[in-house]
Coordinates of all heavy atoms in Angstrom, one line a residue:
M8 N 83.4 -95.5 18.6 CA 84.7 -95.3 17.9 C 84.5 -95.8 16.4 O 83.9 -96.9 16.2 CB 85.8 -96.1 18.6 CG 87.2 -95.6 18.1 SD 88.4 -96.2 19.3 CE 89.3 -97.3 18.2
R9 N 85.0 -95.1 15.5 CA 84.8 -95.5 14.1 C 86.2 -95.9 13.4 O 87.2 -95.5 13.9 CB 84.1 -94.4 13.3 CG 85.0 -93.2 13.1 CD 84.2 -92.2 12.2 NE 85.0 -91.0 12.0 CZ 86.0 -90.8 11.1 NH1 86.3 -91.8 10.3 NH2 86.6 -89.7 11.0
E10 N 86.1 -96.6 12.3 CA 87.3 -96.9 11.6 C 87.7 -95.7 10.7 O 86.9 -94.9 10.3 CB 87.0 -98.1 10.7 CG 86.8 -99.4 11.5 CD 86.6 -100.6 10.6 OE1 87.0 -100.5 9.4 OE2 86.1 -101.6 11.1
L11 N 89.0 -95.6 10.5 CA 89.5 -94.6 9.6 C 89.3 -94.9 8.2 O 89.4 -96.1 7.8 CB 91.0 -94.4 9.9 CG 91.4 -93.9 11.3 CD1 92.9 -93.8 11.4 CD2 90.8 -92.5 11.5
T12 N 89.1 -93.9 7.3 CA 89.0 -94.1 5.9 C 90.4 -94.2 5.4 O 91.4 -93.9 6.0 CB 88.3 -93.0 5.2 OG1 89.1 -91.8 5.4 CG2 86.9 -92.7 5.8
Y13 N 90.5 -94.7 4.1 CA 91.9 -94.8 3.5 C 92.5 -93.4 3.4 O 93.7 -93.3 3.6 CB 91.8 -95.4 2.1 CG 91.5 -96.9 2.1 CD1 90.3 -97.4 1.7 CD2 92.5 -97.8 2.6 CE1 90.1 -98.8 1.8 CE2 92.4 -99.1 2.6 CZ 91.1 -99.6 2.2 OH 91.0 -101.0 2.3
E14 N 91.8 -92.4 3.1 CA 92.3 -91.0 3.0 C 92.9 -90.6 4.4 O 94.0 -90.0 4.5 CB 91.3 -90.1 2.6 CG 91.8 -88.6 2.4 CD 90.7 -87.7 1.9 OE1 89.8 -88.2 1.1 OE2 90.8 -86.5 2.2
E15 N 92.1 -90.9 5.5 CA 92.6 -90.5 6.8 C 93.8 -91.3 7.2 O 94.8 -90.8 7.8 CB 91.5 -90.7 7.8 CG 90.3 -89.8 7.7 CD 89.1 -90.2 8.5 OE1 88.9 -91.4 8.8 OE2 88.4 -89.2 8.9
M16 N 93.9 -92.6 6.8 CA 95.1 -93.4 7.1 C 96.3 -92.8 6.4 O 97.4 -92.8 6.9 CB 94.9 -94.8 6.8 CG 94.0 -95.5 7.8 SD 93.9 -97.3 7.5 CE 92.9 -97.5 6.0
E17 N 96.2 -92.4 5.2 CA 97.3 -91.8 4.4 C 97.8 -90.5 5.1 O 99.0 -90.2 5.1 CB 96.9 -91.6 3.0 CG 96.7 -92.8 2.1 CD 96.2 -92.6 0.7 OE1 96.1 -91.4 0.4 OE2 96.0 -93.5 0.0
Q18 N 96.8 -89.7 5.6 CA 97.2 -88.5 6.3 C 98.0 -88.8 7.5 O 99.0 -88.1 7.8 CB 96.0 -87.6 6.6 CG 95.3 -87.0 5.4 CD 94.0 -86.3 5.7 OE1 93.5 -86.5 6.8 NE2 93.5 -85.6 4.7
V19 N 97.6 -89.8 8.3 CA 98.3 -90.2 9.5 C 99.7 -90.7 9.2 O 100.7 -90.3 9.8 CB 97.5 -91.2 10.3 CG1 98.3 -91.8 11.4 CG2 96.2 -90.6 10.9
D20 N 99.8 -91.6 8.1 CA 101.0 -92.1 7.7 C 102.0 -91.1 7.3 O 103.2 -91.1 7.6 CB 100.8 -93.2 6.6 CG 102.1 -93.9 6.3 OD1 102.9 -94.2 7.2 OD2 102.4 -94.1 5.1
G21 N 101.5 -90.1 6.5 CA 102.4 -89.1 6.0 C 102.8 -88.1 7.1 O 103.9 -87.5 7.0
G22 N 102.0 -88.0 8.1 CA 102.4 -87.0 9.2 C 103.2 -87.6 10.3 O 104.1 -87.0 10.9
V23 N 103.0 -88.9 10.6 CA 103.7 -89.6 11.7 C 105.0 -90.2 11.3 O 106.0 -90.1 12.0 CB 102.8 -90.6 12.4 CG1 103.5 -91.4 13.4 CG2 101.6 -89.9 12.9
A24 N 105.1 -90.8 10.1 CA 106.3 -91.5 9.7 C 107.5 -90.7 9.6 O 108.6 -91.1 10.1 CB 106.0 -92.2 8.3
P25 N 107.5 -89.5 9.1 CA 108.7 -88.7 9.1 C 109.2 -88.3 10.5 O 110.4 -88.3 10.7 CB 108.3 -87.4 8.3 CG 107.1 -87.8 7.5 CD 106.4 -88.8 8.3
V26 N 108.3 -88.1 11.4 CA 108.7 -87.8 12.8 C 109.3 -89.0 13.5 O 110.3 -88.9 14.2 CB 107.5 -87.3 13.6 CG1 107.8 -87.1 15.1 CG2 106.9 -86.0 13.1
V27 N 108.8 -90.2 13.2 CA 109.4 -91.4 13.8 C 110.8 -91.7 13.2 O 111.7 -92.0 13.9 CB 108.4 -92.6 13.5 CG1 109.1 -93.9 13.9 CG2 107.1 -92.5 14.2
V28 N 110.9 -91.5 11.9 CA 112.2 -91.6 11.3 C 113.2 -90.6 11.8 O 114.4 -91.0 12.2 CB 112.1 -91.5 9.7 CG1 113.5 -91.5 9.1 CG2 111.4 -92.7 9.2
A29 N 112.8 -89.4 12.0 CA 113.7 -88.3 12.5 C 114.1 -88.7 14.0 O 115.2 -88.4 14.4 CB 113.0 -87.0 12.4
A30 N 113.1 -89.2 14.7 CA 113.4 -89.6 16.1 C 114.5 -90.7 16.2 O 115.4 -90.6 17.0 CB 112.2 -90.0 16.9
G31 N 114.3 -91.7 15.3 CA 115.3 -92.7 15.2 C 116.7 -92.3 14.9 O 117.7 -92.7 15.5
I32 N 116.7 -91.3 13.9 CA 118.0 -90.8 13.5 C 118.6 -90.0 14.7 O 119.9 -90.0 14.9 CB 117.9 -89.9 12.2 CG1 117.5 -90.8 11.1 CG2 119.1 -89.1 12.0 CD1 117.1 -90.1 9.8
T33 N 117.8 -89.2 15.4 CA 118.3 -88.4 16.5 C 118.9 -89.3 17.6 O 120.0 -89.0 18.1 CB 117.2 -87.5 17.1 OG1 116.7 -86.7 16.1 CG2 117.6 -86.7 18.2
I34 N 118.2 -90.4 17.9 CA 118.6 -91.3 19.0 C 119.9 -92.0 18.5 O 120.9 -92.1 19.3 CB 117.5 -92.3 19.4 CG1 116.4 -91.5 20.0 CG2 118.0 -93.4 20.3 CD1 115.1 -92.3 20.1
A35 N 120.0 -92.5 17.3 CA 121.2 -93.1 16.8 C 122.4 -92.2 16.8 O 123.5 -92.5 17.2 CB 120.9 -93.7 15.4
G36 N 122.1 -90.9 16.4 CA 123.2 -89.9 16.5 C 123.7 -89.6 17.9 O 124.9 -89.4 18.1
G37 N 122.7 -89.6 18.8 CA 123.1 -89.5 20.2 C 124.0 -90.6 20.7 O 125.0 -90.4 21.4
V38 N 123.6 -91.8 20.4 CA 124.4 -93.0 20.8 C 125.8 -92.9 20.1 O 126.8 -93.1 20.8 CB 123.7 -94.3 20.4 CG1 124.6 -95.5 20.6 CG2 122.4 -94.4 21.3
M39 N 125.8 -92.7 18.8 CA 127.1 -92.7 18.1 C 128.0 -91.6 18.6 O 129.2 -91.8 18.8 CB 126.9 -92.6 16.6 CG 126.3 -93.9 16.0 SD 125.8 -93.8 14.3 CE 127.4 -93.4 13.5
G40 N 127.5 -90.4 18.7 CA 128.3 -89.2 19.2 C 128.8 -89.4 20.6 O 129.9 -89.1 20.9
G41 N 127.9 -90.0 21.4 CA 128.3 -90.3 22.8 C 129.4 -91.3 22.8 O 130.4 -91.2 23.6
Y42 N 129.3 -92.3 22.0 CA 130.4 -93.4 22.0 C 131.7 -92.8 21.5 O 132.8 -93.1 22.0 CB 129.9 -94.5 21.1 CG 131.0 -95.7 21.1 CD1 131.1 -96.5 22.1 CD2 131.8 -95.8 20.0 CE1 132.0 -97.5 22.1 CE2 132.8 -96.8 20.0 CZ 132.8 -97.7 21.0 OH 133.8 -98.7 21.0
Q43 N 131.7 -92.0 20.5 CA 132.9 -91.4 20.0 C 133.6 -90.5 21.0 O 134.8 -90.4 21.0 CB 132.6 -90.6 18.7 CG 132.3 -91.4 17.5 CD 131.9 -90.6 16.3 OE1 131.6 -89.4 16.4 NE2 131.8 -91.2 15.2
T44 N 132.8 -89.9 21.8 CA 133.4 -88.9 22.8 C 133.7 -89.6 24.1 O 134.8 -89.4 24.7 CB 132.4 -87.8 23.1 OG1 132.1 -87.1 21.8 CG2 133.0 -86.7 24.0
G45 N 132.8 -90.4 24.6 CA 133.0 -91.0 26.0 C 132.9 -92.5 26.1 O 132.6 -93.0 27.1
G46 N 133.1 -93.2 25.0 CA 133.1 -94.7 25.0 C 131.7 -95.2 25.3 O 130.7 -94.5 25.0
W47 N 131.6 -96.4 25.8 CA 130.3 -97.0 26.0 C 129.5 -96.2 27.0 O 128.3 -96.2 26.9 CB 130.5 -98.5 26.4 CG 131.0 -98.7 27.8 CD1 132.3 -98.9 28.1 CD2 130.3 -98.8 29.0 NE1 132.4 -99.0 29.5 CE2 131.2 -99.0 30.1 CE3 128.9 -98.7 29.3 CZ2 130.8 -99.1 31.4 CZ3 128.5 -98.8 30.7 CH2 129.5 -99.0 31.7
Q48 N 130.1 -95.6 28.0 CA 129.4 -94.8 29.0 C 128.8 -93.6 28.3 O 127.6 -93.2 28.6 CB 130.3 -94.4 30.1 CG 130.8 -95.6 30.9 CD 132.0 -95.2 31.8 OE1 132.7 -94.3 31.5 NE2 132.2 -96.0 32.9
G49 N 129.5 -93.0 27.5 CA 129.0 -91.8 26.7 C 127.9 -92.2 25.8 O 126.9 -91.5 25.6
A50 N 127.9 -93.5 25.2 CA 126.9 -94.0 24.3 C 125.6 -94.1 25.1 O 124.5 -93.8 24.6 CB 127.3 -95.3 23.7
V51 N 125.7 -94.6 26.3 CA 124.5 -94.8 27.1 C 123.9 -93.5 27.5 O 122.6 -93.3 27.3 CB 124.8 -95.6 28.4 CG1 123.6 -95.6 29.4 CG2 125.2 -97.1 28.1
V52 N 124.7 -92.6 27.9 CA 124.2 -91.2 28.3 C 123.7 -90.5 27.1 O 122.6 -89.9 27.1 CB 125.2 -90.4 29.1 CG1 124.8 -89.0 29.2 CG2 125.5 -91.1 30.4
G53 N 124.4 -90.6 26.0 CA 124.0 -89.9 24.8 C 122.7 -90.4 24.2 O 121.8 -89.6 23.8
G54 N 122.5 -91.7 24.2 CA 121.3 -92.3 23.8 C 120.1 -92.0 24.7 O 119.0 -91.7 24.2
T55 N 120.4 -92.0 26.0 CA 119.3 -91.8 27.0 C 118.8 -90.3 26.9 O 117.6 -90.1 26.9 CB 119.8 -92.0 28.4 OG1 120.3 -93.4 28.5 CG2 118.8 -91.8 29.4
L56 N 119.7 -89.4 26.7 CA 119.3 -88.0 26.6 C 118.8 -87.6 25.2 O 118.1 -86.6 25.0 CB 120.4 -87.1 27.1 CG 120.6 -87.1 28.6 CD1 121.9 -86.2 28.9 CD2 119.4 -86.5 29.3
A57 N 119.1 -88.4 24.2 CA 118.6 -88.2 22.9 C 117.1 -88.5 22.8 O 116.4 -87.9 21.9 CB 119.3 -89.0 21.8
V58 N 116.6 -89.4 23.6 CA 115.2 -89.8 23.6 C 114.3 -88.6 23.9 O 113.4 -88.3 23.1 CB 114.9 -91.0 24.5 CG1 113.4 -91.2 24.6 CG2 115.6 -92.2 24.0
P59 N 114.4 -87.9 25.0 CA 113.6 -86.7 25.3 C 113.8 -85.6 24.3 O 112.9 -84.9 23.9 CB 113.9 -86.3 26.7 CG 115.2 -86.9 27.0 CD 115.3 -88.1 26.2
A60 N 115.0 -85.5 23.8 CA 115.3 -84.4 22.7 C 114.5 -84.8 21.5 O 113.9 -83.8 20.9 CB 116.8 -84.4 22.4
A61 N 114.4 -86.0 21.1 CA 113.6 -86.4 19.9 C 112.1 -86.2 20.2 O 111.4 -85.8 19.3 CB 113.9 -87.9 19.6
I62 N 111.7 -86.5 21.4 CA 110.2 -86.3 21.7 C 109.9 -84.8 21.7 O 108.9 -84.4 21.1 CB 109.9 -86.9 23.1 CG1 110.0 -88.4 23.0 CG2 108.5 -86.5 23.5 CD1 109.9 -89.1 24.3
F63 N 110.7 -84.0 22.3 CA 110.5 -82.6 22.2 C 110.6 -82.0 20.8 O 109.8 -81.1 20.4 CB 111.5 -81.8 23.1 CG 111.3 -82.1 24.6 CD1 112.5 -82.1 25.4 CD2 110.1 -82.2 25.2 CE1 112.3 -82.3 26.8 CE2 109.9 -82.4 26.5 CZ 111.1 -82.5 27.3
G64 N 111.5 -82.5 20.0 CA 111.6 -82.1 18.6 C 110.3 -82.4 17.8 O 109.8 -81.7 17.0
G65 N 109.8 -83.7 18.1 CA 108.5 -84.1 17.4 C 107.4 -83.2 17.8 O 106.5 -82.8 17.0
A66 N 107.3 -82.9 19.1 CA 106.3 -82.0 19.6 C 106.4 -80.6 19.0 O 105.4 -79.9 18.7 CB 106.3 -81.9 21.1
A67 N 107.6 -80.1 18.8 CA 107.9 -78.8 18.3 C 107.4 -78.7 16.8 O 106.8 -77.7 16.4 CB 109.3 -78.4 18.3
V68 N 107.6 -79.8 16.1 CA 107.1 -79.9 14.7 C 105.6 -79.8 14.7 O 105.0 -79.2 13.8 CB 107.6 -81.2 14.0 CG1 107.0 -81.4 12.7 CG2 109.1 -81.1 13.8
A69 N 104.9 -80.5 15.6 CA 103.5 -80.6 15.6 C 102.8 -79.3 16.2 O 101.6 -79.1 15.9 CB 103.0 -81.8 16.4
A70 N 103.5 -78.6 17.0 CA 102.9 -77.4 17.7 C 103.0 -76.2 16.8 O 103.7 -76.1 15.8 CB 103.6 -77.2 19.0
Y71 N 102.3 -75.1 17.3 CA 102.3 -73.8 16.6 C 102.6 -72.7 17.6 O 102.3 -72.9 18.8 CB 101.0 -73.6 15.9 CG 100.7 -74.5 14.7 CD1 99.9 -75.6 14.9 CD2 101.3 -74.3 13.5 CE1 99.7 -76.5 13.8 CE2 101.1 -75.1 12.5 CZ 100.3 -76.2 12.6 OH 100.1 -77.1 11.6
G72 N 103.1 -71.6 17.2 CA 103.2 -70.4 18.0 C 104.1 -70.6 19.2 O 105.3 -71.1 19.1
A73 N 103.6 -70.3 20.4 CA 104.4 -70.3 21.6 C 104.8 -71.8 22.0 O 105.9 -72.0 22.5 CB 103.7 -69.7 22.8
G74 N 103.9 -72.7 21.7 CA 104.2 -74.1 21.9 C 105.4 -74.6 21.1 O 106.2 -75.3 21.7
R75 N 105.5 -74.2 19.9 CA 106.6 -74.6 19.1 C 107.9 -74.0 19.6 O 108.9 -74.7 19.7 CB 106.4 -74.1 17.6 CG 107.6 -74.4 16.7 CD 107.3 -74.1 15.3 NE 106.5 -75.2 14.8 CZ 106.0 -75.3 13.6 NH1 106.2 -74.3 12.7 NH2 105.2 -76.3 13.2
A76 N 107.9 -72.7 20.0 CA 109.1 -72.1 20.6 C 109.5 -72.8 21.9 O 110.7 -73.0 22.2 CB 108.8 -70.6 20.9
M77 N 108.5 -73.1 22.7 CA 108.8 -73.8 24.0 C 109.4 -75.2 23.8 O 110.5 -75.5 24.4 CB 107.5 -74.0 24.8 CG 107.7 -74.7 26.1 SD 106.1 -74.9 27.0 CE 105.3 -76.1 25.9
F78 N 108.8 -76.0 22.9 CA 109.4 -77.3 22.7 C 110.7 -77.3 22.0 O 111.6 -78.1 22.2 CB 108.4 -78.2 21.9 CG 107.3 -78.7 22.8 CD1 106.0 -78.4 22.6 CD2 107.6 -79.6 23.9 CE1 105.0 -78.8 23.5 CE2 106.6 -80.1 24.7 CZ 105.3 -79.7 24.5
S79 N 110.9 -76.3 21.1 CA 112.2 -76.1 20.5 C 113.3 -75.7 21.5 O 114.4 -76.3 21.5 CB 112.1 -75.0 19.4 OG 111.3 -75.3 18.4
A80 N 112.9 -74.9 22.5 CA 113.8 -74.6 23.5 C 114.2 -75.8 24.4 O 115.3 -76.0 24.8 CB 113.3 -73.4 24.4
Y81 N 113.1 -76.6 24.7 CA 113.4 -77.8 25.4 C 114.3 -78.8 24.7 O 115.2 -79.4 25.3 CB 112.1 -78.6 25.7 CG 111.1 -77.9 26.7 CD1 109.8 -78.4 26.8 CD2 111.5 -76.9 27.5 CE1 109.0 -77.8 27.7 CE2 110.7 -76.3 28.4 CZ 109.4 -76.8 28.5 OH 108.5 -76.2 29.4
T82 N 114.2 -78.8 23.3 CA 115.0 -79.7 22.5 C 116.5 -79.2 22.6 O 117.4 -80.0 22.9 CB 114.6 -79.7 21.1 OG1 113.2 -80.1 21.0 CG2 115.5 -80.6 20.2
V83 N 116.7 -77.9 22.4 CA 118.0 -77.4 22.5 C 118.6 -77.5 23.9 O 119.8 -77.9 24.0 CB 118.0 -75.9 22.1 CG1 119.4 -75.2 22.3 CG2 117.6 -75.7 20.6
G84 N 117.8 -77.3 24.9 CA 118.3 -77.5 26.3 C 118.7 -78.9 26.6 O 119.7 -79.2 27.2
T85 N 117.9 -79.9 26.1 CA 118.2 -81.3 26.4 C 119.5 -81.7 25.6 O 120.3 -82.4 26.1 CB 117.0 -82.2 25.9 OG1 115.9 -81.7 26.6 CG2 117.3 -83.6 26.3
M86 N 119.7 -81.2 24.4 CA 120.9 -81.5 23.6 C 122.1 -80.9 24.3 O 123.2 -81.5 24.3 CB 120.7 -81.0 22.2 CG 119.6 -81.6 21.4 SD 119.8 -83.3 20.9 CE 120.9 -83.1 19.6
W87 N 121.9 -79.7 24.9 CA 123.0 -79.0 25.6 C 123.4 -79.9 26.8 O 124.6 -80.1 27.1 CB 122.6 -77.6 26.0 CG 123.7 -76.9 26.7 CD1 124.8 -76.2 26.2 CD2 123.9 -76.8 28.1 NE1 125.6 -75.7 27.1 CE2 125.0 -76.0 28.4 CE3 123.1 -77.2 29.2 CZ2 125.5 -75.7 29.6 CZ3 123.6 -76.9 30.5 CH2 124.7 -76.1 30.7
L88 N 122.4 -80.4 27.6 CA 122.7 -81.2 28.7 C 123.4 -82.5 28.3 O 124.3 -83.0 29.0 CB 121.4 -81.6 29.5 CG 120.8 -80.4 30.3 CD1 119.4 -80.9 30.8 CD2 121.7 -80.0 31.4
Q89 N 123.0 -83.1 27.2 CA 123.6 -84.3 26.6 C 125.1 -84.0 26.3 O 125.9 -84.8 26.7 CB 122.8 -84.7 25.4 CG 123.4 -85.9 24.7 CD 122.9 -86.1 23.3 OE1 122.4 -85.2 22.7 NE2 122.9 -87.4 22.8
N90 N 125.3 -82.9 25.7 CA 126.7 -82.6 25.3 C 127.6 -82.4 26.5 O 128.7 -82.9 26.6 CB 126.7 -81.3 24.5 CG 128.0 -81.1 23.8 OD1 128.9 -81.9 23.7 ND2 128.3 -79.8 23.5
R91 N 127.1 -81.7 27.5 CA 127.8 -81.5 28.8 C 128.1 -82.8 29.5 O 129.2 -83.1 30.0 CB 127.0 -80.6 29.7 CG 126.9 -79.2 29.3 CD 128.1 -78.3 29.7 NE 128.2 -78.4 31.2 CZ 129.1 -77.7 31.8 NH1 129.9 -76.9 31.2 NH2 129.2 -77.8 33.1
A92 N 127.0 -83.7 29.6 CA 127.2 -85.0 30.3 C 128.2 -85.9 29.6 O 129.1 -86.5 30.3 CB 125.8 -85.7 30.4
V93 N 128.2 -86.0 28.3 CA 129.1 -86.8 27.6 C 130.5 -86.3 27.7 O 131.5 -87.0 27.9 CB 128.7 -87.0 26.1 CG1 129.7 -87.6 25.3 CG2 127.4 -87.8 26.0
N94 N 130.7 -85.0 27.6 CA 132.0 -84.4 27.7 C 132.5 -84.6 29.1 O 133.7 -84.8 29.3 CB 132.0 -82.9 27.4 CG 131.9 -82.6 25.9 OD1 132.2 -83.5 25.1 ND2 131.4 -81.5 25.5
N95 N 131.7 -84.5 30.2 CA 132.1 -84.8 31.5 C 132.6 -86.2 31.7 O 133.6 -86.5 32.4 CB 131.0 -84.5 32.6 CG 130.9 -83.0 32.8 OD1 131.8 -82.2 32.6 ND2 129.7 -82.6 33.3
I96 N 131.9 -87.2 31.0 CA 132.3 -88.6 31.1 C 133.7 -88.7 30.4 O 134.6 -89.4 30.9 CB 131.3 -89.5 30.4 CG1 130.0 -89.6 31.2 CG2 131.8 -90.9 30.1 CD1 128.9 -90.2 30.6
A97 N 133.9 -88.1 29.3 CA 135.1 -88.2 28.5 C 136.3 -87.6 29.4 O 137.4 -88.1 29.4 CB 135.0 -87.5 27.2
S98 N 136.0 -86.4 30.0 CA 137.1 -85.8 30.8 C 137.4 -86.6 32.1 O 138.5 -86.5 32.6 CB 136.7 -84.3 31.1 OG 135.6 -84.3 32.0
A99 N 136.4 -87.4 32.5 CA 136.7 -88.2 33.7 C 137.3 -89.5 33.4 O 137.6 -90.3 34.3 CB 135.3 -88.4 34.5
G100 N 137.6 -89.7 32.1 CA 138.3 -90.9 31.7 C 137.4 -92.0 31.4 O 137.7 -93.2 31.7
G101 N 136.3 -91.7 30.7 CA 135.4 -92.8 30.3 C 136.1 -93.7 29.3 O 137.0 -93.4 28.6
D102 N 135.6 -95.0 29.2 CA 136.2 -96.0 28.4 C 136.0 -95.6 26.9 O 135.0 -95.3 26.4 CB 135.5 -97.3 28.6 CG 135.8 -97.9 30.0 OD1 136.8 -97.5 30.6 OD2 135.0 -98.7 30.4
S103 N 137.1 -95.5 26.2 CA 137.1 -95.1 24.8 C 137.5 -96.3 23.9 O 138.3 -97.1 24.2 CB 138.0 -93.9 24.5 OG 137.5 -92.8 25.1

């Protein structure tokens, strides 16, 4: 195994850092949106389901062709499940 050059480290930093920041924003948005809709229970479910959505979104950015379409569909599907779950908590009388 060899050490990375400065140029290679800059390429990794420029490619990974935006995905990590976007994942953090996605998870924070899931927690906040879940809390607004379903209280603390909605925040837990919203944050929990935002994690795989962020992972799938990051994979979609890194993939090409059919892989990008597949991971994009997984992201949308996970966000849809998150929305349904939080709304069910709110309609069941979750703590607000």
